Amino acid sequence: MRTKTNRIRAGLGIATAVALALPAAAQELTIIRNQDSNHYDPARTAALSGSEVLFMLADTVVGLDEDMSTIVPHLASSWEVSDDGLVYTFTIRDDVSFCDGKKMTAEDVAYSLNRWYDPETKSPVRWRMGDVKSITAPDDTTLVYELNAPHSELLYQLAQSFGSVVDKETVEALGADFGVTGFNGTGPFCWDSWTPRDKMVLTRHEGYNWGPANYENTGPAQVEKITWQIVPEAATRTVAMLTGQGEVSPYVPFIGVDKLRQAPGVEIVESDQAFWTNYIGFKITKDMVDDIKVRQAINLAVNQEAMAEDLFFGEVEPAFSYISSGALDWDESLDDKLLTYDPEKAAALLDEAGWTLNSNGVREKDGVELAPLAITFTGEWQQTVEAVQADLLKVGIKLQIEPMDATVYWGKSATDEFDMYVMGFPYVSAGDALNLYFRSSNIPTPNRMNYDDPKTDELLLTGSHATSDADRASAYGEVLATVHDEAIWLPVYHKPMQIAVSDKLKPFEAHNIYGAGLYKGLQLGFK
């Protein structure tokens, strides 16, 4: 075996410490956000709103530096990888405890990861673990993770919130209410209370001192209590930051960004170390959008550039691709093949597909109007879909919109009761994005499109198992070409990480892991 202690190289380097100092006294912090999660069970939620809290409530085998490429020690102090890339042996720390004071061992880590992989758990992100052969804990400080095939991004995936270590006794005691009425993790903060659609309150884990190695302050946390406060209205979030009702908000409304930049007492922290794309997906097995020409026409009828300026105040990049062209393994040959705004061509495609304008100016075929149903979150996403609705009506598509709260949306989006849906997602590479959404095994969620293509599945496995950069890029490039040709999504915009911060707080660097800009929260402290 070749030893890799505190270091992994596969596009991953050595951690750089973030200089932070402990405060003189503990204080309370309010984080303003726009929506809630449906629950806080790490293995069963793919929601950013779930992950950003779970990173604070729990820990993972390894951590991720702010550069989004450096794997750092966390619950594992070191690890070894076999030459064939099939066996990862982790040395687990012996000084970690859960919030209830119980000592954590490698057996807890193995339980948590096996629970994530168990088909009975129905994790929407089970694929991230690779083709697992076994996960075992031969003793209290050793974890052996064995694969049937190499998984080039395994360590990166094990840093995600889905791999959070949880207490078996609490999981079994709470059953379906785990992550709803309670939680027991090893993170820098502990579960205090959750009022759905209102607020989540976390209290400091006093004994915590095992934060990931990218932090100079590895614990305890600098603040005594964190309240994640839900504020759905964009204008109210801006006012909350301007008036000091909150100290941090990773959900800066685009309309308020410039005002906050110029306001005294508030700063905007930004990061370009990772990517986030908002898109509208098609349920391609539904009659309204099963025709590729209809999906192409919808792409051509929407003016993303105008939306970026008028709706998002120039703070985002209009998207025509499913991932940013700056992401690892983007295929530059696709740049000139993307569907951009062309309403005349959209109308021609609809004519070819047999959808003709009726007397009401709506496309009709066999007596049925072209009126697909789009489900959406409320708030900013609803405004986005309404802008899309206006553009589509110009070419005769009568888009129907059903807005709903996030706690309802996540369950609804796993059904077949709609034609189109909205989603935003973080990623660092083409493989990260494509494996999430386009594997047939991920139907019905996160592959909400019901996209099922054996060739794509084969290529995704090839890319995941690749041992060379060229082979990986080739496989993922072919998948990118295929899904763009099929017009499976309507990409809307690529957005930056922007966090509004009170100048009462110490300076810190934004983290973009899964879009959760505050990560463990260990860097948050008052001056």
Side-chain angles (χ1 to χ4, degrees):
M1 303 179 94
R2 65 179 182 274
T3 301
K4 298 190 177 184
T5 303
N6 299 0
R7 181 185 180 108
I8 281 290
R9 291 279 186 185
L12 306 175
I14 296 296
T16 301
V18 178
L20 296 169
L22 290 170
Q27 303 192 42
E28 298 182 6
L29 186 76
T30 297
I31 302 172
I32 303 294
R33 61 175 177 165
N34 67 339
Q35 64 187 35
D36 210 340
S37 181
N38 52 338
H39 58 74
Y40 293 90
D41 182 342
R44 298 192 302 111
T45 182
L48 164 60
S49 48
S51 290
E52 60 190 2
V53 171
L54 286 164
F55 279 125
M56 296 185 178
L57 284 172
D59 294 316
T60 51
V61 176
V62 293
L64 187 65
D65 185 76
E66 284 80 356
D67 65 10
M68 290 299 293
S69 63
T70 304
I71 294 294
V72 298
H74 195 3
L75 293 179
S77 58
S78 62
W79 52 89
E80 298 177 341
V81 184
S82 61
D83 289 333
D84 60 8
L86 296 178
V87 181
Y88 290 69
T89 304
F90 298 91
T91 298
I92 302 299
R93 297 179 62 135
D94 63 359
D95 60 348
V96 177
S97 62
F98 289 99
C99 277
D100 67 354
K102 185 188 310 174
K103 183 179 178 64
M104 186 213 76
T105 70
E107 183 58 40
D108 296 300
V109 183
Y111 164 76
S112 301
L113 295 178
N114 279 314
R115 178 175 180 267
W116 177 14
Y117 196 69
D118 186 349
E120 292 298 314
T121 303
K122 297 180 180 178
S123 174
V125 288
R126 181 174 181 263
W127 65 269
R128 290 178 179 269
M129 301 185 72
D131 185 359
V132 176
K133 182 176 182 180
S134 66
I135 303 173
T136 58
D139 57 55
D140 284 353
T141 58
T142 305
L143 180 81
V144 180
Y145 194 119
E146 190 169 0
L147 296 161
N148 290 312
H151 184 28
S152 59
E153 295 186 352
L154 178 62
L155 290 171
Y156 171 79
Q157 301 299 348
L158 290 180
Q160 304 299 317
S161 64
F162 323 113
S164 295
V165 174
V166 296
D167 171 43
K168 179 180 180 180
E169 290 182 9
T170 303
V171 173
E172 293 180 345
L174 294 179
D177 286 332
F178 175 68
V180 176
T181 61
F183 188 96
N184 190 23
T186 68
F189 294 91
C190 300
W191 179 292
D192 180 273
S193 63
W194 178 37
T195 308
R197 297 179 294 280
D198 181 18
K199 62 185 176 181
M200 166 70 79
V201 180
L202 313 179
T203 54
R204 184 169 63 187
H205 188 169
E206 296 295 346
Y208 189 90
N209 64 1
W210 49 83
N214 56 304
Y215 289 108
E216 182 173 316
N217 169 36
T218 55
Q222 301 182 68
V223 293
E224 188 175 65
K225 179 186 289 186
I226 287 182
T227 298
W228 288 86
Q229 183 67 54
I230 308 298
V231 181
E233 302 81 10
T236 309
R237 291 200 300 277
T238 303
V239 171
M241 288 304 302
L242 289 171
T243 57
Q245 297 175 60
E247 286 76 36
V248 183
S249 180
Y251 295 89
V252 181
F254 296 115
I255 192 173
V257 172
D258 196 52
K259 181 180 293 186
L260 289 170
R261 282 197 186 103
Q262 299 179 40
V266 182
E267 300 173 354
I268 300 293
V269 176
E270 301 193 40
S271 171
D272 59 0
Q273 293 300 315
F275 308 97
W276 183 286
T277 297
N278 276 12
Y279 73 92
I280 299 175
F282 299 106
K283 182 76 73 172
I284 63 172
T285 52
K286 301 284 283 186
D287 289 345
M288 286 287 164
V289 292
D290 63 348
D291 189 333
I292 186 174
K293 290 184 179 179
V294 172
R295 300 195 300 269
Q296 289 173 334
I298 290 174
N299 272 263
L300 293 164
V302 176
N303 191 342
Q304 289 98 324
E305 290 185 348
M307 289 173 63
E309 289 299 320
D310 301 338
L311 195 59
F312 308 122
F313 304 91
E315 296 289 343
V316 304
E317 177 188 348
F320 307 103
S321 58
Y322 296 178
I323 64 172
S324 170
S325 59
L328 180 68
D329 294 334
W330 168 252
D331 185 349
E332 294 181 357
S333 70
L334 296 175
D335 290 349
D336 297 327
K337 302 174 183 177
L338 302 175
L339 297 172
T340 57
Y341 184 54
D342 190 339
E344 291 184 2
K345 186 174 180 180
L349 282 172
L350 292 170
D351 287 337
E352 291 175 20
W355 293 96
T356 57
L357 289 171
N358 63 21
S359 59
N360 295 320
V362 177
R363 297 278 171 174
E364 187 177 289
K365 184 177 182 180
D366 300 327
V368 178
E369 288 188 334
L370 184 52
L373 171 65
I375 61 170
T376 176
F377 296 106
T378 54
E380 182 182 289
W381 254 122
Q382 182 176 344
Q383 296 172 354
T384 302
V385 178
E386 287 170 352
V388 170
Q389 181 186 50
D391 277 348
L392 295 184
L393 191 57
K394 294 174 184 176
V395 296
I397 299 174
K398 188 178 177 181
L399 182 66
Q400 309 297 301
I401 302 175
E402 184 179 349
M404 58 193 70
D405 182 82
T407 55
V408 177
Y409 184 89
W410 290 107
K412 183 79 168 183
S413 69
T415 72
D416 273 345
E417 300 169 8
F418 56 89
D419 304 294
M420 298 164 64
Y421 69 95
V422 304
M423 192 59 57
F425 70 104
Y427 55 96
V428 294
S429 66
D432 193 20
L434 296 173
N435 280 291
L436 175 62
Y437 286 112
F438 294 99
R439 285 176 179 248
S440 63
S441 59
N442 287 352
I443 296 171
T445 179
N447 182 345
R448 301 170 180 86
M449 307 85 64
N450 290 342
Y451 180 72
D452 187 352
D453 177 47
K455 179 63 174 177
T456 295
D457 285 340
E458 180 184 337
L459 287 166
L460 289 174
L461 280 177
T462 298
S464 180
H465 297 167
T467 56
S468 76
D469 292 345
D471 289 344
R472 184 191 65 242
S474 175
Y476 289 147
E478 193 169 340
V479 175
L480 282 167
T482 299
V483 296
H484 279 84
D485 286 346
E486 292 288 326
I488 307 298
W489 290 354
L490 165 65
V492 182
Y493 61 84
H494 306 303
K495 71 173 182 176
M497 166 67 70
Q498 296 174 319
I499 304 176
V501 183
S502 166
D503 66 359
K504 295 178 182 179
L505 296 186
K506 299 173 184 178
F508 68 88
E509 187 176 354
H511 203 300
N512 225 330
I513 185 169
Y514 205 69
L518 304 176
Y519 196 23
K520 308 300 293 183
L522 290 166
Q523 78 281 43
L524 299 175
F526 289 88
K527 294 177 179 176

